[in-house]
Amino acid sequence: MSHLRNADVKVQALGDAALTVVFGDRIDAQTHARVKHFCAALEAGPRPEAIEEWAPAFASATVWYDPDRIAFAALAEYLANLSRESRPEEKPGALFEIPFCRDADFAPDLAETAQWRGLTPDAYMAQFSTLVFEVYMLGFQPGFAYLGGLPEGLSAPRLETPRKNVPARSLAVADGMCAAYPFASPGGWRLIGRTPAPLFDPGRTARPALLAAGDLVRWREIDRAAFLRLEREWSGGGFDARLLTEAGSWRD
């Protein structure tokens, strides 16, 4: 057996040492809340010792296990039942206030994105800066966090032709999501700013990725002078993620 259906949850094999628990096929807060509750239940335990680790996604969670210690069918049944049980209290994620600058060369798509929604760039950013985003999952690049919480009134489709090179630390929106690129790469999201904060640093061995699933993010606008100052300060390895959660720590 390579899959199991239990009510509206589907458990399917992912190779011979992992499986995926699928809660739906949409990216929305309600479906993702079920993913979070499921992962919180795994964390709370007790759970089979054969389970090694797990990772949430938009509408699913993948669980890695030792197939020599538990059969797929038994684990699939356990996880399907767990998905229906009472919801444990979630551990709150960290809240980050991350600075960004929207000068024209940092935000080449801002005007068009705002116009798409009948807004000026200033009006668009006035709304954007009030939002609190939630990290749904990491993927695409090390430290690339997919942030849910962009309302329809600020969203826009991806570019018809992706850029061959998106500068590192670019802040972008697309399809109801927000993200910032840790590294330069091709990409089709709409660029509306850039942050001086390093989003992934292998030197931070305890937590190389700044953000983790469940964290909350507020974006705070700064001017170019502050951006350049922080970029210089943080490029030498002196960056501390805790700075972003302390009011006034990066402001002039």
Side-chain angles (χ1 to χ4, degrees):
M1 181 172 63
S2 61
H3 68 276
L4 170 69
R5 284 189 177 275
N6 194 321
D8 59 341
V9 174
K10 181 171 68 173
V11 183
Q12 56 193 30
L14 182 64
D16 61 357
L19 48 76
T20 300
V21 184
V22 182
F23 293 89
D25 57 4
R26 297 189 302 174
I27 300 175
D28 57 34
Q30 181 178 4
T31 302
H32 189 65
R34 298 183 64 195
V35 176
K36 291 194 298 178
H37 288 311
F38 172 78
C39 290
L42 276 175
E43 178 71 28
R47 57 184 179 272
E49 293 183 358
I51 293 177
E52 297 174 342
E53 62 178 315
W54 55 89
F58 293 127
S60 65
T62 295
V63 178
W64 288 266
Y65 68 101
D66 183 350
D68 291 331
R69 302 178 68 185
I70 192 170
F72 169 85
L75 182 58
E77 184 69 25
Y78 166 80
L79 295 176
N81 291 334
L82 184 66
S83 71
R84 302 197 316 266
E85 293 175 359
S86 59
R87 313 298 198 202
E89 183 177 353
E90 298 174 49
K91 294 181 179 179
L95 171 62
F96 293 92
E97 287 193 342
I98 305 181
F100 77 100
C101 177
R102 63 171 172 112
D103 277 11
D105 55 329
F106 292 161
D109 301 319
L110 175 57
E112 183 180 17
T113 302
Q115 185 178 26
W116 182 275
R117 289 302 177 184
L119 299 170
T120 65
D122 286 346
Y124 183 96
M125 277 302 172
Q127 295 184 42
F128 182 85
S129 296
T130 67
L131 301 175
V132 177
F133 294 92
E134 180 180 351
V135 179
Y136 278 9
M137 61 173 283
L138 271 65
F140 177 58
Q141 296 178 352
F144 187 102
Y146 291 83
L147 307 179
L150 186 70
E152 180 66 21
L154 298 182
S155 186
R158 301 187 186 209
L159 299 173
E160 292 185 7
T161 303
R163 287 183 172 86
K164 294 182 179 179
N165 184 59
V166 174
R169 294 176 283 108
S170 290
L171 174 61
V173 296
D175 299 332
M177 303 289 290
C178 174
Y181 289 74
F183 306 99
S185 74
W189 292 41
R190 295 174 180 267
L191 308 185
I192 63 168
R194 193 176 304 173
T195 177
L199 302 167
F200 186 87
D201 181 358
R204 297 195 303 255
T205 55
R207 179 166 164 156
L210 173 62
L211 301 173
D215 286 344
L216 303 176
V217 176
R218 286 198 298 250
W219 295 98
R220 289 293 179 257
E221 187 175 345
I222 57 175
D223 61 23
R224 194 179 193 92
F227 175 94
L228 295 175
R229 174 177 58 80
L230 292 173
E231 187 177 50
R232 287 192 302 269
E233 290 179 5
W234 292 343
S235 65
F239 173 80
D240 186 336
R242 290 174 299 179
L243 292 174
L244 303 183
T245 63
E246 299 170 0
S249 59
W250 44 258
R251 299 176 188 271
D252 288 329

